[in-house]
Amino acid sequence: MKKNKRIYAALVLLLLVITGFSGYAQTKLTGKVTDETNLPLPGVVVAQTGTSNKTTTDANGVYNLILQSGTQSLTFSYIGYTSVTISYTGANIDVALKSSSQALNEVVVTGYTSQKKNSITGSIATVNMNDLSKTRIVDVAQALQGQVAGVFVAANTGAPGDGIKLRIRGEGTLGNNDVLYVIDGVPTRDISFLNQADVKSMTVLKDAAAGAIYGSRAASGVVVITTNSGQVGKANVNIEYFSGFHQATNLPKMLNADQYLTVKDMAWHNTLGNSATAISPYQAARSRTDLANTDWLDELFETGHSKNLQLSTSGDY
């Protein structure tokens, strides 16, 4: 009888020990995080929902996390993508995150990195490229006209094909006031070669603190431009065509020959010919028949026509 009691007590103790250990058991999870095109996403934060237990994905988008007691779900978050929360059902969790245009608008390219806009203390402005896609411009620098406060954009001379003058915070020196452009990490002073359709984002670094990474070249401000790039495993062919016409507007109305002589006659009498008997030299010219009667503005400005065809390919083939 005593032996049976000892066996029973030992079984109860063993059951309590097993139950206790199972209450503190931890589950190791692994999985892979990709984007919509099945590309791995490194640096994605994988957190056990409602806890401080978290990890990040490696260069291949793979994560490993020990699930502790508490909420049995994981939250996946990444800048520029919509956060996802998935409940743990006993199997490893693979996730494909979807890009979020709203989140992307909060990310600003600064130098060699990207940061959240609300965490930056310098004066930085981004340009809405979706709105600019509706316009047709010759020089990409024209895209900044009227888009960013404190940025002045105008043609150098007004001659057809002439470059654009861009000033940030006005003229700062008697020397070179040209803005520094950084295209995909490459600095330049001229972007006339750049096609508007190739521009993905434009960020204006307006003060010295924001552009300090570029040194003295950034004294007149910096415009950081990111161009579109191809995606691995996805081939794209884009064709864009537009045509239009251009006309000069609000031109002054020109005088004909008789009106011009009348104005010159009045000017002569008001300056040199003040006497009542003075005869204006322009009065005799009214009887001439060889005077030109040409509207030179109408001859100078004609209706211009423009056509543009863009063909681009990207990705793997």
Side-chain angles (χ1 to χ4, degrees), residues 28-33 44-47 55-58 60-66 74 76 91-95:
K28 183 178 181 180
L29 289 179
T30 185
K32 186 175 183 179
V33 182
V44 177
V45 178
V46 183
T55 186
T56 57
T57 58
D58 59 17
N60 297 319
V62 178
Y63 70 91
N64 293 283
L65 179 67
I66 297 178
L74 298 181
F76 300 83
N92 291 328
I93 301 175
D94 293 335
V95 178

Short mmCIF file of all heavy atoms in Angstrom, two decimals, residues 28-33 44-47 55-58 60-66 74 76 91-95:
data_model
loop_
_atom_site.label_atom_id
_atom_site.label_comp_id
_atom_site.label_asym_id
_atom_site.label_seq_id
_atom_site.Cartn_x
_atom_site.Cartn_y
_atom_site.Cartn_z
N LYS A 28 10.49 28.68 -31.35
CA LYS A 28 11.39 29.37 -32.27
C LYS A 28 10.75 29.44 -33.64
O LYS A 28 10.38 28.42 -34.23
CB LYS A 28 12.74 28.65 -32.35
CG LYS A 28 13.74 29.37 -33.24
CD LYS A 28 15.09 28.67 -33.26
CE LYS A 28 16.08 29.43 -34.15
NZ LYS A 28 17.40 28.77 -34.17
N LEU A 29 10.58 30.67 -34.15
CA LEU A 29 9.98 30.90 -35.46
C LEU A 29 11.03 31.37 -36.45
O LEU A 29 11.97 32.07 -36.10
CB LEU A 29 8.87 31.96 -35.37
CG LEU A 29 7.59 31.58 -34.65
CD1 LEU A 29 6.64 32.76 -34.65
CD2 LEU A 29 6.93 30.39 -35.32
N THR A 30 10.84 30.99 -37.68
CA THR A 30 11.68 31.49 -38.77
C THR A 30 10.81 31.69 -39.99
O THR A 30 9.71 31.12 -40.09
CB THR A 30 12.83 30.52 -39.08
OG1 THR A 30 13.69 31.12 -40.07
CG2 THR A 30 12.30 29.20 -39.64
N GLY A 31 11.25 32.52 -40.89
CA GLY A 31 10.48 32.80 -42.09
C GLY A 31 11.20 33.79 -42.98
O GLY A 31 12.34 34.20 -42.70
N LYS A 32 10.54 34.20 -44.03
CA LYS A 32 11.15 35.10 -45.00
C LYS A 32 10.18 36.22 -45.33
O LYS A 32 8.97 35.99 -45.49
CB LYS A 32 11.55 34.35 -46.27
CG LYS A 32 12.32 35.17 -47.28
CD LYS A 32 12.79 34.33 -48.46
CE LYS A 32 13.63 35.15 -49.42
NZ LYS A 32 14.11 34.34 -50.57
N VAL A 33 10.71 37.44 -45.46
CA VAL A 33 9.90 38.62 -45.79
C VAL A 33 10.33 39.13 -47.16
O VAL A 33 11.52 39.37 -47.39
CB VAL A 33 10.05 39.72 -44.73
CG1 VAL A 33 9.15 40.91 -45.08
CG2 VAL A 33 9.71 39.19 -43.35
N VAL A 44 13.72 44.43 -42.13
CA VAL A 44 12.33 44.50 -41.70
C VAL A 44 12.25 44.16 -40.21
O VAL A 44 12.84 43.19 -39.74
CB VAL A 44 11.46 43.51 -42.51
CG1 VAL A 44 10.02 43.53 -42.02
CG2 VAL A 44 11.53 43.85 -43.99
N VAL A 45 11.51 44.96 -39.45
CA VAL A 45 11.35 44.73 -38.01
C VAL A 45 10.23 43.71 -37.80
O VAL A 45 9.08 43.93 -38.21
CB VAL A 45 11.03 46.03 -37.26
CG1 VAL A 45 10.80 45.75 -35.78
CG2 VAL A 45 12.15 47.04 -37.45
N VAL A 46 10.57 42.59 -37.18
CA VAL A 46 9.61 41.54 -36.86
C VAL A 46 9.47 41.51 -35.34
O VAL A 46 10.42 41.20 -34.62
CB VAL A 46 10.08 40.17 -37.39
CG1 VAL A 46 9.02 39.10 -37.10
CG2 VAL A 46 10.39 40.25 -38.87
N ALA A 47 8.28 41.85 -34.84
CA ALA A 47 8.07 41.98 -33.39
C ALA A 47 6.90 41.13 -32.96
O ALA A 47 5.91 41.00 -33.69
CB ALA A 47 7.85 43.44 -33.01
N THR A 55 13.05 41.30 -33.67
CA THR A 55 14.27 41.03 -34.42
C THR A 55 14.14 41.69 -35.78
O THR A 55 13.11 42.30 -36.09
CB THR A 55 14.52 39.51 -34.57
OG1 THR A 55 15.79 39.30 -35.19
CG2 THR A 55 13.45 38.86 -35.44
N THR A 56 15.17 41.58 -36.62
CA THR A 56 15.14 42.13 -37.98
C THR A 56 15.57 41.07 -38.97
O THR A 56 16.28 40.11 -38.63
CB THR A 56 16.05 43.36 -38.11
OG1 THR A 56 17.39 42.99 -37.75
CG2 THR A 56 15.58 44.49 -37.23
N THR A 57 15.17 41.24 -40.21
CA THR A 57 15.53 40.29 -41.26
C THR A 57 16.95 40.56 -41.74
O THR A 57 17.45 41.69 -41.69
CB THR A 57 14.57 40.39 -42.45
OG1 THR A 57 14.58 41.74 -42.94
CG2 THR A 57 13.15 40.03 -42.04
N ASP A 58 17.61 39.50 -42.22
CA ASP A 58 18.98 39.65 -42.72
C ASP A 58 18.96 40.05 -44.19
O ASP A 58 17.91 40.44 -44.73
CB ASP A 58 19.75 38.34 -42.52
CG ASP A 58 19.10 37.15 -43.23
OD1 ASP A 58 18.25 37.38 -44.12
OD2 ASP A 58 19.44 35.99 -42.89
N ASN A 60 19.01 38.40 -46.80
CA ASN A 60 18.17 37.54 -47.62
C ASN A 60 16.70 37.60 -47.23
O ASN A 60 15.88 36.82 -47.72
CB ASN A 60 18.65 36.09 -47.53
CG ASN A 60 20.06 35.92 -48.08
OD1 ASN A 60 20.41 36.51 -49.10
ND2 ASN A 60 20.88 35.14 -47.39
N GLY A 61 16.36 38.53 -46.32
CA GLY A 61 14.99 38.67 -45.89
C GLY A 61 14.53 37.64 -44.87
O GLY A 61 13.33 37.53 -44.59
N VAL A 62 15.46 36.85 -44.31
CA VAL A 62 15.13 35.78 -43.37
C VAL A 62 15.23 36.30 -41.94
O VAL A 62 16.14 37.05 -41.60
CB VAL A 62 16.07 34.57 -43.57
CG1 VAL A 62 15.77 33.46 -42.55
CG2 VAL A 62 15.95 34.05 -45.00
N TYR A 63 14.29 35.88 -41.11
CA TYR A 63 14.30 36.27 -39.70
C TYR A 63 14.20 35.03 -38.82
O TYR A 63 13.70 33.96 -39.23
CB TYR A 63 13.13 37.20 -39.38
CG TYR A 63 11.77 36.53 -39.41
CD1 TYR A 63 11.21 35.98 -38.26
CD2 TYR A 63 11.05 36.46 -40.60
CE1 TYR A 63 9.98 35.36 -38.28
CE2 TYR A 63 9.82 35.84 -40.63
CZ TYR A 63 9.28 35.29 -39.47
OH TYR A 63 8.06 34.66 -39.50
N ASN A 64 14.69 35.15 -37.57
CA ASN A 64 14.56 34.12 -36.55
C ASN A 64 14.14 34.79 -35.26
O ASN A 64 14.78 35.75 -34.82
CB ASN A 64 15.89 33.37 -36.34
CG ASN A 64 16.28 32.54 -37.55
OD1 ASN A 64 15.73 31.48 -37.79
ND2 ASN A 64 17.24 33.04 -38.33
N LEU A 65 13.06 34.30 -34.67
CA LEU A 65 12.53 34.93 -33.46
C LEU A 65 12.01 33.85 -32.52
O LEU A 65 11.32 32.92 -32.94
CB LEU A 65 11.40 35.90 -33.81
CG LEU A 65 10.74 36.62 -32.63
CD1 LEU A 65 11.73 37.59 -31.99
CD2 LEU A 65 9.49 37.37 -33.09
N ILE A 66 12.38 33.97 -31.24
CA ILE A 66 11.86 33.07 -30.21
C ILE A 66 10.59 33.67 -29.64
O ILE A 66 10.61 34.73 -29.01
CB ILE A 66 12.91 32.85 -29.10
CG1 ILE A 66 14.15 32.17 -29.68
CG2 ILE A 66 12.32 31.99 -27.98
CD1 ILE A 66 15.26 31.96 -28.67
N LEU A 74 2.61 38.11 -34.73
CA LEU A 74 3.80 38.86 -35.14
C LEU A 74 3.38 40.07 -35.96
O LEU A 74 2.44 40.01 -36.77
CB LEU A 74 4.74 37.98 -35.96
CG LEU A 74 5.33 36.75 -35.28
CD1 LEU A 74 6.25 36.02 -36.24
CD2 LEU A 74 6.08 37.14 -34.02
N PHE A 76 4.94 42.84 -38.70
CA PHE A 76 6.03 43.11 -39.63
C PHE A 76 5.92 44.56 -40.09
O PHE A 76 4.87 44.97 -40.62
CB PHE A 76 5.95 42.18 -40.84
CG PHE A 76 6.03 40.72 -40.48
CD1 PHE A 76 4.89 40.02 -40.06
CD2 PHE A 76 7.22 40.02 -40.57
CE1 PHE A 76 4.95 38.68 -39.74
CE2 PHE A 76 7.30 38.68 -40.25
CZ PHE A 76 6.16 38.01 -39.82
N ALA A 91 2.87 27.15 -37.51
CA ALA A 91 3.78 26.99 -38.64
C ALA A 91 4.60 28.26 -38.81
O ALA A 91 4.24 29.34 -38.32
CB ALA A 91 3.00 26.68 -39.92
N ASN A 92 5.73 28.14 -39.50
CA ASN A 92 6.57 29.31 -39.78
C ASN A 92 5.80 30.29 -40.67
O ASN A 92 4.96 29.89 -41.49
CB ASN A 92 7.87 28.89 -40.45
CG ASN A 92 8.77 28.12 -39.50
OD1 ASN A 92 8.76 28.37 -38.29
ND2 ASN A 92 9.54 27.19 -40.02
N ILE A 93 6.11 31.57 -40.52
CA ILE A 93 5.35 32.62 -41.20
C ILE A 93 6.21 33.31 -42.25
O ILE A 93 7.25 33.89 -41.93
CB ILE A 93 4.82 33.66 -40.19
CG1 ILE A 93 3.94 32.98 -39.14
CG2 ILE A 93 4.04 34.76 -40.90
CD1 ILE A 93 3.48 33.91 -38.03
N ASP A 94 5.79 33.23 -43.51
CA ASP A 94 6.40 33.98 -44.60
C ASP A 94 5.44 35.11 -44.99
O ASP A 94 4.22 34.91 -45.07
CB ASP A 94 6.66 33.08 -45.81
CG ASP A 94 7.73 32.04 -45.52
OD1 ASP A 94 8.56 32.28 -44.63
OD2 ASP A 94 7.72 30.98 -46.18
N VAL A 95 5.99 36.30 -45.25
CA VAL A 95 5.17 37.49 -45.50
C VAL A 95 5.64 38.21 -46.75
O VAL A 95 6.85 38.32 -46.99
CB VAL A 95 5.21 38.46 -44.29
CG1 VAL A 95 4.39 39.70 -44.58
CG2 VAL A 95 4.69 37.78 -43.05
#
